[in-house]
């Protein structure tokens, strides 16, 4: 059994109330984890835990550099929401994961070290801490498994369009949960309402230039990539807009009270 699958089974025990399936956008290949990968993943989890503890908050957005996105001017590829029940309690990471490169996704809860056990491009991490009012509402949201599922679209696309509900990528679910927490109480309950609030609040997605040939290859060869939810005007011009960690962090930096720090290896 791979380390990732072992972590998944452990997560089922830890969160039996809302057990959900796994993976983060890669093929499910059974590969033995090297000692170095295990060591680095555990060390990164420990560094991240120390930095999260030092924030004094019980909830934060965290991100990893799972793959090299420098060709698109991006650094961090995947975000999660780190949460603990209180000081001294263990941190858990709430995230949306693609199921083994398929067109489906599930919600999951992981440990801090497990968040870095899939051979990331680097072991740098990002932490974004919300202001107290948002943190309180975000804590309530993470306890409401029905609401978390309501904001989840299991039809997955790595490049899901930010203002459509046909598909969803991992970072998009995080952003929509943040919209639920940041909006006035009762204003956001559905994905469509979250997206409307984000547009009104000035969220701007990342735009990647992807030519027609590459788009066609991606759609034909990868089940977890789709472009048909993008507006024709943008799609035919090769302008693919999607939710990335970079676009989320840029948006949150403009919101009052959010703080950011990078945790380097």
């Amino acid at each position: 059994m791979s380390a990732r699958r072992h972590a998944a089974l452990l997560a089922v025990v830890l969160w039996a109330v809302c057990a959900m399936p796994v993976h983060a956008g890669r093929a499910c290949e059974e590969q033995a984890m090297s000692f170095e990968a295990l060591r680095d993943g555990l060390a990164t989890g420990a560094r991240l835990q120390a930095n999260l503890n030092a924030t004094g908050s019980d909830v934060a957005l965290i991100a990893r550099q799972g793959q090299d996105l420098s060709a698109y001017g991006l650094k961090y590829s995947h975000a999660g929401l780190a949460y603990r029940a209180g000081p001294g309690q263990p941190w858990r990471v709430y995230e949306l994961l693609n199921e083994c490169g398929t067109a489906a996704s599930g919600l999951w809860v992981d440990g801090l070290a497990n968040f870095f056990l899939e051979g990331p491009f680097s072991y740098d991490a990002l932490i974004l801490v919300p202001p107290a009012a948002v943190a309180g509402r975000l804590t309530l949201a993470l306890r409401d498994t029905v609401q978390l599922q309501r904001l989840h679209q299991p039809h997955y696309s790595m490049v899901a369009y930010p203002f459509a509900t046909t598909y969803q990528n991992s970072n998009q679910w995080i952003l929509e949960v943040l919209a639920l927490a940041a909006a006035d109480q009762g204003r956001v309950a559905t994905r469509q309402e979250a997206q409307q609030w984000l547009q009104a609040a000035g969220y701007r997605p990342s735009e990647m230039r992807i030519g027609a040939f590459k788009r066609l290859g991606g759609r034909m060869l990868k089940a977890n990539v789709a472009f048909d939810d993008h507006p024709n005007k943008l799609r035919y011009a090769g302008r693919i807009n999607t939710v990335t960690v970079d676009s989320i962090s840029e948006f949150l930096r403009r919101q009052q009270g959010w703080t950011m720090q990078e945790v380097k290896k």
Side-chain angles (χ1 to χ4, degrees):
M1 178 180 292
S2 70
R4 183 63 186 181
R5 287 180 180 269
H6 178 76
L9 289 174
L10 179 61
V12 171
V13 176
L14 292 172
W15 202 33
V17 174
C18 194
M20 309 176 201
V22 184
H23 208 35
R26 300 178 186 168
C28 281
E29 299 172 354
E30 293 290 344
Q31 296 180 346
M33 179 176 295
S34 69
F35 169 78
E36 290 77 11
L38 178 60
R39 177 199 62 199
D40 290 342
L42 292 172
T44 303
R47 283 195 302 274
L48 190 59
Q49 176 176 292
N51 280 266
L52 285 168
N53 289 342
T55 68
S57 178
D58 292 328
V59 65
L61 182 147
I62 63 173
R64 67 181 180 224
Q65 192 177 14
Q67 55 187 303
D68 183 9
L69 297 177
S70 59
Y72 301 104
L74 306 171
K75 181 174 182 179
Y76 293 100
S77 61
H78 180 74
L81 290 169
Y83 168 71
R84 63 179 179 177
Q89 297 299 308
W91 287 92
R92 299 287 178 239
V93 183
Y94 291 65
E95 55 188 332
L96 181 151
L97 297 171
N98 179 216
E99 295 177 12
C100 308
T102 70
S105 71
L107 302 181
W108 201 250
V109 178
D110 232 332
L112 288 178
N114 293 340
F115 195 65
F116 297 95
L117 288 183
E118 289 192 328
F121 180 73
S122 82
Y123 287 94
D124 292 346
L126 180 70
I127 299 175
L128 285 154
V129 181
V134 175
R137 293 195 292 269
L138 190 53
T139 294
L140 292 176
L142 293 177
R143 292 172 178 170
D144 187 346
T145 56
V146 173
Q147 180 61 64
L148 294 181
Q149 291 281 12
R150 188 178 294 125
L151 292 177
H152 174 223
Q153 165 57 274
H155 298 297
Y156 180 89
S157 171
M158 291 177 66
V159 292
Y161 185 64
F163 305 118
T165 58
T166 308
Y167 307 105
Q168 191 174 50
N169 73 19
S170 298
N171 299 319
Q172 190 174 13
W173 179 75
I174 295 293
L175 181 61
E176 291 172 3
V177 172
L178 291 175
L180 169 69
D184 293 337
Q185 189 172 7
R187 186 173 176 182
V188 170
T190 66
R191 293 196 65 207
Q192 185 176 31
E193 290 170 346
Q195 292 172 8
Q196 290 171 347
W197 184 88
L198 288 163
Q199 283 185 300
Y203 168 74
R204 295 189 294 269
S206 294
E207 182 169 286
M208 297 178 288
R209 295 284 179 166
I210 302 178
F213 182 78
K214 193 169 184 178
R215 293 199 308 275
L216 179 62
R219 189 66 182 105
M220 292 179 65
L221 300 176
K222 294 185 177 181
N224 61 359
V225 177
F227 298 98
D228 56 296
D229 57 330
H230 291 252
N232 289 340
K233 182 178 180 180
L234 294 176
R235 178 160 50 115
Y236 295 151
R239 298 168 55 195
I240 302 304
N241 285 237
T242 196
V243 180
T244 64
V245 174
D246 291 66
S247 68
I248 294 175
S249 62
E250 177 60 32
F251 172 67
L252 294 181
R253 280 196 294 266
R254 298 196 306 269
Q255 308 303 304
Q256 187 173 4
W258 282 83
T259 61
M260 184 188 78
Q261 62 174 293
E262 286 193 276
V263 181
K264 300 286 188 177
K265 179 177 178 181

